[in-house]
Amino acid sequence: MTHGDPQRVAGRLDTYRSRSRKWHRQVKVERCPGCGHPHLHRAPLPLVRSVLKTAPCGAVYVVQLRTEAVTA
C-alpha cells in the first residue's frame, strides 16, 4: 500500500472501432511506473483531464490525459 499522493503519468485517449462497428475510447499509458509496460484502461465518462487508475501489476497512478491534438 502506498502512502501519500499517487504518482502522475502521461496518457492519451485512443479511439478505435470494434467488430460490431461501434466506436470506443480507451486510455493508453505508455510506461507504467510500477512495471514499465504499457497499459490500456477504460476511458472515463464524462471525459476529464485526469483519472485515478489501477494497473494490472497493482500500481496505482493518476493518468494525465493530453487535451491538445498531437501533430507529427
Side-chain angles (χ1 to χ4, degrees), residues 9 14 21 26 28 30 36 39 44 46 48 51 61 64-65 67:
V9 295
D14 283 345
R21 297 184 182 199
Q26 61 191 4
K28 183 170 186 177
E30 293 295 333
H39 294 304
V48 292
V51 62
Y61 46 76
Q64 294 287 126
L65 295 175
T67 55

Side-chain angles (χ1 to χ4, degrees), residues 23-46:
W23 290 96
H24 301 277
R25 290 190 194 122
Q26 61 191 4
V27 174
K28 183 170 186 177
V29 175
E30 293 295 333
R31 190 163 199 266
C32 172
C35 65
H37 294 288
H39 294 304
L40 295 173
H41 300 283
R42 288 185 179 172
L45 291 176

